Amino acid sequence: MSQRFSLIIGLLIIVIASAFFWWRSQSEQQINRQVDLFIESIEYRKLSLDSKEDRHVSYRELFAPVVEVSTPAPGPTGKFSLIELIEQIDQLQSFISYLEISEESRRIILDGDSAQVHITGNFAAASGPNTRFDLNGTMFIILVRDDDWRIEAITLEEG
């Protein structure tokens, strides 16, 4: 009886692990992980335990070689190479004391090797104790799949 029970438990563990790895490899889950890494990397506080170098590693994993960005001031706008975009983000983070994204909803639209992610929420930044910018709106992120999902465009719109 115990051999049979052990065999059943072993098979159950294999089935559960296989299902988990299958679920984790689905495009929607990969996109969600990339978007979560983007939000985690772009959010910023002057007093933070993560280093600029750690964020740069994340950016290299996240962004396509060329990224089109459209954000309200003080954020960057334009078409940037990966190196230029990292410099723009570093410059933005040198001017502000924090950047926070409070996500209300997220929708993913898959179309083959491209995807659009719509994040609705509050996007807040502060450049000093009395200067705070709050924007309630939607961030549109376009990702393309090469070896992995990479962010190709980011647009932040009010409303």
Side-chain angles (χ1 to χ4, degrees), residues 56-91:
H56 288 187
V57 169
S58 296
Y59 298 149
R60 287 185 187 91
E61 294 174 11
L62 285 168
F63 296 118
V66 176
V67 181
E68 190 167 344
V69 180
S70 176
T71 61
T77 294
K79 204 169 207 173
F80 303 101
S81 70
L82 179 59
I83 293 169
E84 292 170 331
L85 183 60
I86 290 172
E87 289 171 356
Q88 289 290 320
I89 294 170
D90 285 347
Q91 185 177 3

PDB file of all heavy atoms in Angstrom, residues 56-91:
ATOM      1  N   HIS A  56      19.832  49.139 -14.346  1.00  0.00           N
ATOM      2  CA  HIS A  56      20.351  49.064 -15.719  1.00  0.00           C
ATOM      3  C   HIS A  56      20.291  47.627 -16.242  1.00  0.00           C
ATOM      4  O   HIS A  56      19.960  47.404 -17.407  1.00  0.00           O
ATOM      5  CB  HIS A  56      21.782  49.588 -15.795  1.00  0.00           C
ATOM      6  CG  HIS A  56      21.864  51.072 -15.642  1.00  0.00           C
ATOM      7  ND1 HIS A  56      23.028  51.766 -15.827  1.00  0.00           N
ATOM      8  CD2 HIS A  56      20.932  52.010 -15.316  1.00  0.00           C
ATOM      9  CE1 HIS A  56      22.820  53.061 -15.622  1.00  0.00           C
ATOM     10  NE2 HIS A  56      21.548  53.226 -15.311  1.00  0.00           N
ATOM     11  N   VAL A  57      20.621  46.664 -15.395  1.00  0.00           N
ATOM     12  CA  VAL A  57      20.525  45.253 -15.792  1.00  0.00           C
ATOM     13  C   VAL A  57      19.075  44.923 -16.141  1.00  0.00           C
ATOM     14  O   VAL A  57      18.811  44.276 -17.160  1.00  0.00           O
ATOM     15  CB  VAL A  57      21.060  44.327 -14.671  1.00  0.00           C
ATOM     16  CG1 VAL A  57      20.724  42.871 -14.955  1.00  0.00           C
ATOM     17  CG2 VAL A  57      22.564  44.509 -14.500  1.00  0.00           C
ATOM     18  N   SER A  58      18.147  45.369 -15.327  1.00  0.00           N
ATOM     19  CA  SER A  58      16.724  45.129 -15.601  1.00  0.00           C
ATOM     20  C   SER A  58      16.305  45.782 -16.909  1.00  0.00           C
ATOM     21  O   SER A  58      15.581  45.171 -17.702  1.00  0.00           O
ATOM     22  CB  SER A  58      15.853  45.683 -14.465  1.00  0.00           C
ATOM     23  OG  SER A  58      16.107  44.999 -13.270  1.00  0.00           O
ATOM     24  N   TYR A  59      16.741  47.007 -17.155  1.00  0.00           N
ATOM     25  CA  TYR A  59      16.369  47.705 -18.384  1.00  0.00           C
ATOM     26  C   TYR A  59      16.868  46.940 -19.613  1.00  0.00           C
ATOM     27  O   TYR A  59      16.169  46.856 -20.618  1.00  0.00           O
ATOM     28  CB  TYR A  59      16.933  49.128 -18.416  1.00  0.00           C
ATOM     29  CG  TYR A  59      16.434  50.034 -17.314  1.00  0.00           C
ATOM     30  CD1 TYR A  59      17.233  51.048 -16.810  1.00  0.00           C
ATOM     31  CD2 TYR A  59      15.161  49.884 -16.761  1.00  0.00           C
ATOM     32  CE1 TYR A  59      16.793  51.891 -15.808  1.00  0.00           C
ATOM     33  CE2 TYR A  59      14.716  50.713 -15.754  1.00  0.00           C
ATOM     34  CZ  TYR A  59      15.540  51.714 -15.276  1.00  0.00           C
ATOM     35  OH  TYR A  59      15.108  52.542 -14.281  1.00  0.00           O
ATOM     36  N   ARG A  60      18.064  46.390 -19.526  1.00  0.00           N
ATOM     37  CA  ARG A  60      18.611  45.629 -20.664  1.00  0.00           C
ATOM     38  C   ARG A  60      17.794  44.372 -20.941  1.00  0.00           C
ATOM     39  O   ARG A  60      17.721  43.909 -22.071  1.00  0.00           O
ATOM     40  CB  ARG A  60      20.078  45.293 -20.423  1.00  0.00           C
ATOM     41  CG  ARG A  60      20.977  46.507 -20.557  1.00  0.00           C
ATOM     42  CD  ARG A  60      22.456  46.145 -20.435  1.00  0.00           C
ATOM     43  NE  ARG A  60      23.256  47.346 -20.410  1.00  0.00           N
ATOM     44  CZ  ARG A  60      23.614  47.998 -19.301  1.00  0.00           C
ATOM     45  NH1 ARG A  60      23.260  47.543 -18.122  1.00  0.00           N
ATOM     46  NH2 ARG A  60      24.342  49.089 -19.369  1.00  0.00           N
ATOM     47  N   GLU A  61      17.183  43.807 -19.899  1.00  0.00           N
ATOM     48  CA  GLU A  61      16.326  42.637 -20.060  1.00  0.00           C
ATOM     49  C   GLU A  61      14.943  43.019 -20.571  1.00  0.00           C
ATOM     50  O   GLU A  61      14.242  42.188 -21.133  1.00  0.00           O
ATOM     51  CB  GLU A  61      16.174  41.898 -18.730  1.00  0.00           C
ATOM     52  CG  GLU A  61      17.447  41.273 -18.223  1.00  0.00           C
ATOM     53  CD  GLU A  61      17.289  40.671 -16.840  1.00  0.00           C
ATOM     54  OE1 GLU A  61      16.145  40.552 -16.350  1.00  0.00           O
ATOM     55  OE2 GLU A  61      18.315  40.317 -16.236  1.00  0.00           O
ATOM     56  N   LEU A  62      14.554  44.264 -20.364  1.00  0.00           N
ATOM     57  CA  LEU A  62      13.189  44.709 -20.653  1.00  0.00           C
ATOM     58  C   LEU A  62      12.996  45.308 -22.035  1.00  0.00           C
ATOM     59  O   LEU A  62      11.993  45.044 -22.691  1.00  0.00           O
ATOM     60  CB  LEU A  62      12.769  45.781 -19.641  1.00  0.00           C
ATOM     61  CG  LEU A  62      12.418  45.323 -18.253  1.00  0.00           C
ATOM     62  CD1 LEU A  62      12.317  46.517 -17.321  1.00  0.00           C
ATOM     63  CD2 LEU A  62      11.123  44.560 -18.277  1.00  0.00           C
ATOM     64  N   PHE A  63      13.920  46.155 -22.455  1.00  0.00           N
ATOM     65  CA  PHE A  63      13.682  47.003 -23.610  1.00  0.00           C
ATOM     66  C   PHE A  63      14.252  46.433 -24.906  1.00  0.00           C
ATOM     67  O   PHE A  63      15.301  45.795 -24.917  1.00  0.00           O
ATOM     68  CB  PHE A  63      14.259  48.399 -23.373  1.00  0.00           C
ATOM     69  CG  PHE A  63      13.592  49.138 -22.242  1.00  0.00           C
ATOM     70  CD1 PHE A  63      14.310  49.513 -21.122  1.00  0.00           C
ATOM     71  CD2 PHE A  63      12.250  49.456 -22.302  1.00  0.00           C
ATOM     72  CE1 PHE A  63      13.704  50.197 -20.079  1.00  0.00           C
ATOM     73  CE2 PHE A  63      11.630  50.131 -21.268  1.00  0.00           C
ATOM     74  CZ  PHE A  63      12.356  50.503 -20.154  1.00  0.00           C
ATOM     75  N   ALA A  64      13.561  46.731 -25.999  1.00  0.00           N
ATOM     76  CA  ALA A  64      14.032  46.414 -27.346  1.00  0.00           C
ATOM     77  C   ALA A  64      15.201  47.352 -27.668  1.00  0.00           C
ATOM     78  O   ALA A  64      15.435  48.335 -26.955  1.00  0.00           O
ATOM     79  CB  ALA A  64      12.894  46.600 -28.349  1.00  0.00           C
ATOM     80  N   PRO A  65      15.944  47.094 -28.744  1.00  0.00           N
ATOM     81  CA  PRO A  65      17.070  47.974 -29.098  1.00  0.00           C
ATOM     82  C   PRO A  65      16.667  49.428 -29.340  1.00  0.00           C
ATOM     83  O   PRO A  65      17.440  50.340 -29.080  1.00  0.00           O
ATOM     84  CB  PRO A  65      17.630  47.347 -30.376  1.00  0.00           C
ATOM     85  CG  PRO A  65      17.224  45.919 -30.307  1.00  0.00           C
ATOM     86  CD  PRO A  65      15.907  45.905 -29.599  1.00  0.00           C
ATOM     87  N   VAL A  66      15.447  49.658 -29.834  1.00  0.00           N
ATOM     88  CA  VAL A  66      14.931  51.019 -30.023  1.00  0.00           C
ATOM     89  C   VAL A  66      13.538  51.068 -29.386  1.00  0.00           C
ATOM     90  O   VAL A  66      12.709  50.197 -29.627  1.00  0.00           O
ATOM     91  CB  VAL A  66      14.843  51.394 -31.517  1.00  0.00           C
ATOM     92  CG1 VAL A  66      14.208  52.758 -31.695  1.00  0.00           C
ATOM     93  CG2 VAL A  66      16.226  51.356 -32.155  1.00  0.00           C
ATOM     94  N   VAL A  67      13.308  52.097 -28.567  1.00  0.00           N
ATOM     95  CA  VAL A  67      12.044  52.233 -27.849  1.00  0.00           C
ATOM     96  C   VAL A  67      11.476  53.611 -28.107  1.00  0.00           C
ATOM     97  O   VAL A  67      12.176  54.615 -27.990  1.00  0.00           O
ATOM     98  CB  VAL A  67      12.234  52.026 -26.330  1.00  0.00           C
ATOM     99  CG1 VAL A  67      10.909  52.143 -25.597  1.00  0.00           C
ATOM    100  CG2 VAL A  67      12.889  50.685 -26.031  1.00  0.00           C
ATOM    101  N   GLU A  68      10.192  53.660 -28.456  1.00  0.00           N
ATOM    102  CA  GLU A  68       9.501  54.930 -28.646  1.00  0.00           C
ATOM    103  C   GLU A  68       8.733  55.242 -27.365  1.00  0.00           C
ATOM    104  O   GLU A  68       7.970  54.411 -26.873  1.00  0.00           O
ATOM    105  CB  GLU A  68       8.540  54.847 -29.828  1.00  0.00           C
ATOM    106  CG  GLU A  68       7.979  56.192 -30.206  1.00  0.00           C
ATOM    107  CD  GLU A  68       7.285  56.159 -31.557  1.00  0.00           C
ATOM    108  OE1 GLU A  68       7.482  55.212 -32.329  1.00  0.00           O
ATOM    109  OE2 GLU A  68       6.537  57.113 -31.807  1.00  0.00           O
ATOM    110  N   VAL A  69       8.958  56.449 -26.828  1.00  0.00           N
ATOM    111  CA  VAL A  69       8.378  56.841 -25.551  1.00  0.00           C
ATOM    112  C   VAL A  69       7.615  58.140 -25.728  1.00  0.00           C
ATOM    113  O   VAL A  69       8.099  59.072 -26.373  1.00  0.00           O
ATOM    114  CB  VAL A  69       9.479  57.034 -24.477  1.00  0.00           C
ATOM    115  CG1 VAL A  69       8.876  57.451 -23.154  1.00  0.00           C
ATOM    116  CG2 VAL A  69      10.308  55.776 -24.318  1.00  0.00           C
ATOM    117  N   SER A  70       6.419  58.192 -25.131  1.00  0.00           N
ATOM    118  CA  SER A  70       5.631  59.420 -25.121  1.00  0.00           C
ATOM    119  C   SER A  70       5.037  59.579 -23.727  1.00  0.00           C
ATOM    120  O   SER A  70       4.115  58.863 -23.346  1.00  0.00           O
ATOM    121  CB  SER A  70       4.513  59.340 -26.166  1.00  0.00           C
ATOM    122  OG  SER A  70       3.703  60.492 -26.101  1.00  0.00           O
ATOM    123  N   THR A  71       5.606  60.516 -22.970  1.00  0.00           N
ATOM    124  CA  THR A  71       5.144  60.772 -21.607  1.00  0.00           C
ATOM    125  C   THR A  71       5.052  62.270 -21.378  1.00  0.00           C
ATOM    126  O   THR A  71       5.769  63.038 -22.013  1.00  0.00           O
ATOM    127  CB  THR A  71       6.107  60.171 -20.563  1.00  0.00           C
ATOM    128  OG1 THR A  71       7.391  60.778 -20.700  1.00  0.00           O
ATOM    129  CG2 THR A  71       6.229  58.669 -20.701  1.00  0.00           C
ATOM    130  N   PRO A  72       4.182  62.676 -20.455  1.00  0.00           N
ATOM    131  CA  PRO A  72       4.145  64.100 -20.112  1.00  0.00           C
ATOM    132  C   PRO A  72       5.415  64.509 -19.351  1.00  0.00           C
ATOM    133  O   PRO A  72       6.104  63.653 -18.788  1.00  0.00           O
ATOM    134  CB  PRO A  72       2.909  64.240 -19.219  1.00  0.00           C
ATOM    135  CG  PRO A  72       2.382  62.877 -18.983  1.00  0.00           C
ATOM    136  CD  PRO A  72       3.181  61.899 -19.765  1.00  0.00           C
ATOM    137  N   ALA A  73       5.723  65.789 -19.361  1.00  0.00           N
ATOM    138  CA  ALA A  73       6.884  66.305 -18.629  1.00  0.00           C
ATOM    139  C   ALA A  73       6.701  65.952 -17.152  1.00  0.00           C
ATOM    140  O   ALA A  73       5.587  65.943 -16.665  1.00  0.00           O
ATOM    141  CB  ALA A  73       6.986  67.802 -18.817  1.00  0.00           C
ATOM    142  N   PRO A  74       7.713  65.617 -16.466  1.00  0.00           N
ATOM    143  CA  PRO A  74       9.137  65.701 -16.782  1.00  0.00           C
ATOM    144  C   PRO A  74       9.699  64.433 -17.426  1.00  0.00           C
ATOM    145  O   PRO A  74      10.911  64.296 -17.540  1.00  0.00           O
ATOM    146  CB  PRO A  74       9.772  65.928 -15.420  1.00  0.00           C
ATOM    147  CG  PRO A  74       8.899  65.164 -14.481  1.00  0.00           C
ATOM    148  CD  PRO A  74       7.505  65.292 -15.044  1.00  0.00           C
ATOM    149  N   GLY A  75       8.842  63.505 -17.850  1.00  0.00           N
ATOM    150  CA  GLY A  75       9.302  62.253 -18.439  1.00  0.00           C
ATOM    151  C   GLY A  75       9.853  62.441 -19.840  1.00  0.00           C
ATOM    152  O   GLY A  75       9.575  63.430 -20.510  1.00  0.00           O
ATOM    153  N   PRO A  76      10.618  61.477 -20.320  1.00  0.00           N
ATOM    154  CA  PRO A  76      11.205  61.578 -21.661  1.00  0.00           C
ATOM    155  C   PRO A  76      10.171  61.312 -22.755  1.00  0.00           C
ATOM    156  O   PRO A  76       9.183  60.617 -22.541  1.00  0.00           O
ATOM    157  CB  PRO A  76      12.279  60.486 -21.658  1.00  0.00           C
ATOM    158  CG  PRO A  76      11.829  59.505 -20.636  1.00  0.00           C
ATOM    159  CD  PRO A  76      11.055  60.281 -19.619  1.00  0.00           C
ATOM    160  N   THR A  77      10.384  61.898 -23.924  1.00  0.00           N
ATOM    161  CA  THR A  77       9.548  61.663 -25.096  1.00  0.00           C
ATOM    162  C   THR A  77      10.462  61.589 -26.312  1.00  0.00           C
ATOM    163  O   THR A  77      11.374  62.404 -26.453  1.00  0.00           O
ATOM    164  CB  THR A  77       8.513  62.793 -25.266  1.00  0.00           C
ATOM    165  OG1 THR A  77       7.602  62.742 -24.160  1.00  0.00           O
ATOM    166  CG2 THR A  77       7.734  62.635 -26.547  1.00  0.00           C
ATOM    167  N   GLY A  78      10.207  60.610 -27.171  1.00  0.00           N
ATOM    168  CA  GLY A  78      11.000  60.467 -28.387  1.00  0.00           C
ATOM    169  C   GLY A  78      11.292  59.011 -28.676  1.00  0.00           C
ATOM    170  O   GLY A  78      10.783  58.109 -28.023  1.00  0.00           O
ATOM    171  N   LYS A  79      12.134  58.801 -29.672  1.00  0.00           N
ATOM    172  CA  LYS A  79      12.574  57.470 -30.055  1.00  0.00           C
ATOM    173  C   LYS A  79      14.016  57.333 -29.591  1.00  0.00           C
ATOM    174  O   LYS A  79      14.870  58.120 -29.986  1.00  0.00           O
ATOM    175  CB  LYS A  79      12.466  57.307 -31.567  1.00  0.00           C
ATOM    176  CG  LYS A  79      12.349  55.906 -32.029  1.00  0.00           C
ATOM    177  CD  LYS A  79      11.987  55.870 -33.504  1.00  0.00           C
ATOM    178  CE  LYS A  79      11.253  54.581 -33.782  1.00  0.00           C
ATOM    179  NZ  LYS A  79      10.731  54.515 -35.124  1.00  0.00           N
ATOM    180  N   PHE A  80      14.287  56.334 -28.743  1.00  0.00           N
ATOM    181  CA  PHE A  80      15.586  56.218 -28.102  1.00  0.00           C
ATOM    182  C   PHE A  80      16.189  54.841 -28.327  1.00  0.00           C
ATOM    183  O   PHE A  80      15.482  53.829 -28.306  1.00  0.00           O
ATOM    184  CB  PHE A  80      15.457  56.420 -26.586  1.00  0.00           C
ATOM    185  CG  PHE A  80      14.849  57.727 -26.187  1.00  0.00           C
ATOM    186  CD1 PHE A  80      13.521  57.811 -25.807  1.00  0.00           C
ATOM    187  CD2 PHE A  80      15.612  58.887 -26.194  1.00  0.00           C
ATOM    188  CE1 PHE A  80      12.958  59.015 -25.429  1.00  0.00           C
ATOM    189  CE2 PHE A  80      15.055  60.096 -25.824  1.00  0.00           C
ATOM    190  CZ  PHE A  80      13.722  60.168 -25.445  1.00  0.00           C
ATOM    191  N   SER A  81      17.515  54.816 -28.481  1.00  0.00           N
ATOM    192  CA  SER A  81      18.220  53.537 -28.430  1.00  0.00           C
ATOM    193  C   SER A  81      18.211  53.098 -26.964  1.00  0.00           C
ATOM    194  O   SER A  81      17.899  53.879 -26.064  1.00  0.00           O
ATOM    195  CB  SER A  81      19.657  53.697 -28.924  1.00  0.00           C
ATOM    196  OG  SER A  81      20.427  54.434 -27.990  1.00  0.00           O
ATOM    197  N   LEU A  82      18.575  51.857 -26.718  1.00  0.00           N
ATOM    198  CA  LEU A  82      18.587  51.343 -25.353  1.00  0.00           C
ATOM    199  C   LEU A  82      19.480  52.183 -24.454  1.00  0.00           C
ATOM    200  O   LEU A  82      19.083  52.558 -23.345  1.00  0.00           O
ATOM    201  CB  LEU A  82      19.034  49.879 -25.353  1.00  0.00           C
ATOM    202  CG  LEU A  82      19.131  49.191 -24.004  1.00  0.00           C
ATOM    203  CD1 LEU A  82      17.789  49.193 -23.290  1.00  0.00           C
ATOM    204  CD2 LEU A  82      19.631  47.771 -24.166  1.00  0.00           C
ATOM    205  N   ILE A  83      20.663  52.522 -24.933  1.00  0.00           N
ATOM    206  CA  ILE A  83      21.599  53.328 -24.127  1.00  0.00           C
ATOM    207  C   ILE A  83      21.025  54.712 -23.864  1.00  0.00           C
ATOM    208  O   ILE A  83      21.098  55.223 -22.741  1.00  0.00           O
ATOM    209  CB  ILE A  83      22.972  53.413 -24.823  1.00  0.00           C
ATOM    210  CG1 ILE A  83      23.617  52.027 -24.838  1.00  0.00           C
ATOM    211  CG2 ILE A  83      23.881  54.424 -24.148  1.00  0.00           C
ATOM    212  CD1 ILE A  83      24.841  51.910 -25.713  1.00  0.00           C
ATOM    213  N   GLU A  84      20.441  55.339 -24.888  1.00  0.00           N
ATOM    214  CA  GLU A  84      19.845  56.672 -24.709  1.00  0.00           C
ATOM    215  C   GLU A  84      18.672  56.624 -23.737  1.00  0.00           C
ATOM    216  O   GLU A  84      18.503  57.532 -22.912  1.00  0.00           O
ATOM    217  CB  GLU A  84      19.365  57.223 -26.056  1.00  0.00           C
ATOM    218  CG  GLU A  84      20.465  57.562 -27.023  1.00  0.00           C
ATOM    219  CD  GLU A  84      19.944  57.881 -28.422  1.00  0.00           C
ATOM    220  OE1 GLU A  84      18.878  57.347 -28.825  1.00  0.00           O
ATOM    221  OE2 GLU A  84      20.613  58.664 -29.112  1.00  0.00           O
ATOM    222  N   LEU A  85      17.866  55.574 -23.811  1.00  0.00           N
ATOM    223  CA  LEU A  85      16.723  55.459 -22.908  1.00  0.00           C
ATOM    224  C   LEU A  85      17.180  55.299 -21.467  1.00  0.00           C
ATOM    225  O   LEU A  85      16.624  55.936 -20.565  1.00  0.00           O
ATOM    226  CB  LEU A  85      15.829  54.289 -23.318  1.00  0.00           C
ATOM    227  CG  LEU A  85      14.563  54.111 -22.476  1.00  0.00           C
ATOM    228  CD1 LEU A  85      13.672  55.350 -22.551  1.00  0.00           C
ATOM    229  CD2 LEU A  85      13.795  52.877 -22.928  1.00  0.00           C
ATOM    230  N   ILE A  86      18.194  54.493 -21.251  1.00  0.00           N
ATOM    231  CA  ILE A  86      18.722  54.332 -19.892  1.00  0.00           C
ATOM    232  C   ILE A  86      19.230  55.672 -19.371  1.00  0.00           C
ATOM    233  O   ILE A  86      18.989  56.037 -18.214  1.00  0.00           O
ATOM    234  CB  ILE A  86      19.821  53.246 -19.858  1.00  0.00           C
ATOM    235  CG1 ILE A  86      19.192  51.866 -20.089  1.00  0.00           C
ATOM    236  CG2 ILE A  86      20.584  53.277 -18.541  1.00  0.00           C
ATOM    237  CD1 ILE A  86      20.196  50.734 -20.273  1.00  0.00           C
ATOM    238  N   GLU A  87      19.915  56.436 -20.217  1.00  0.00           N
ATOM    239  CA  GLU A  87      20.387  57.769 -19.813  1.00  0.00           C
ATOM    240  C   GLU A  87      19.217  58.691 -19.491  1.00  0.00           C
ATOM    241  O   GLU A  87      19.269  59.460 -18.518  1.00  0.00           O
ATOM    242  CB  GLU A  87      21.252  58.387 -20.916  1.00  0.00           C
ATOM    243  CG  GLU A  87      22.598  57.720 -21.083  1.00  0.00           C
ATOM    244  CD  GLU A  87      23.361  58.202 -22.310  1.00  0.00           C
ATOM    245  OE1 GLU A  87      22.822  59.023 -23.100  1.00  0.00           O
ATOM    246  OE2 GLU A  87      24.513  57.752 -22.484  1.00  0.00           O
ATOM    247  N   GLN A  88      18.139  58.637 -20.296  1.00  0.00           N
ATOM    248  CA  GLN A  88      16.951  59.467 -20.047  1.00  0.00           C
ATOM    249  C   GLN A  88      16.297  59.099 -18.717  1.00  0.00           C
ATOM    250  O   GLN A  88      15.902  59.981 -17.955  1.00  0.00           O
ATOM    251  CB  GLN A  88      15.939  59.311 -21.183  1.00  0.00           C
ATOM    252  CG  GLN A  88      16.344  59.949 -22.484  1.00  0.00           C
ATOM    253  CD  GLN A  88      16.318  61.468 -22.396  1.00  0.00           C
ATOM    254  OE1 GLN A  88      15.421  62.058 -21.797  1.00  0.00           O
ATOM    255  NE2 GLN A  88      17.307  62.100 -22.993  1.00  0.00           N
ATOM    256  N   ILE A  89      16.191  57.815 -18.436  1.00  0.00           N
ATOM    257  CA  ILE A  89      15.592  57.379 -17.170  1.00  0.00           C
ATOM    258  C   ILE A  89      16.465  57.814 -16.008  1.00  0.00           C
ATOM    259  O   ILE A  89      15.956  58.310 -14.997  1.00  0.00           O
ATOM    260  CB  ILE A  89      15.370  55.850 -17.173  1.00  0.00           C
ATOM    261  CG1 ILE A  89      14.318  55.471 -18.213  1.00  0.00           C
ATOM    262  CG2 ILE A  89      14.944  55.374 -15.788  1.00  0.00           C
ATOM    263  CD1 ILE A  89      14.196  53.977 -18.461  1.00  0.00           C
ATOM    264  N   ASP A  90      17.783  57.659 -16.131  1.00  0.00           N
ATOM    265  CA  ASP A  90      18.702  58.112 -15.076  1.00  0.00           C
ATOM    266  C   ASP A  90      18.568  59.609 -14.843  1.00  0.00           C
ATOM    267  O   ASP A  90      18.549  60.072 -13.695  1.00  0.00           O
ATOM    268  CB  ASP A  90      20.152  57.781 -15.429  1.00  0.00           C
ATOM    269  CG  ASP A  90      20.483  56.311 -15.257  1.00  0.00           C
ATOM    270  OD1 ASP A  90      19.678  55.578 -14.635  1.00  0.00           O
ATOM    271  OD2 ASP A  90      21.548  55.888 -15.751  1.00  0.00           O
ATOM    272  N   GLN A  91      18.471  60.369 -15.923  1.00  0.00           N
ATOM    273  CA  GLN A  91      18.326  61.820 -15.801  1.00  0.00           C
ATOM    274  C   GLN A  91      17.013  62.171 -15.108  1.00  0.00           C
ATOM    275  O   GLN A  91      16.979  63.014 -14.212  1.00  0.00           O
ATOM    276  CB  GLN A  91      18.388  62.476 -17.173  1.00  0.00           C
ATOM    277  CG  GLN A  91      18.356  63.976 -17.127  1.00  0.00           C
ATOM    278  CD  GLN A  91      18.497  64.593 -18.516  1.00  0.00           C
ATOM    279  OE1 GLN A  91      18.557  63.901 -19.526  1.00  0.00           O
ATOM    280  NE2 GLN A  91      18.538  65.903 -18.563  1.00  0.00           N
TER     281      GLN A  91
END
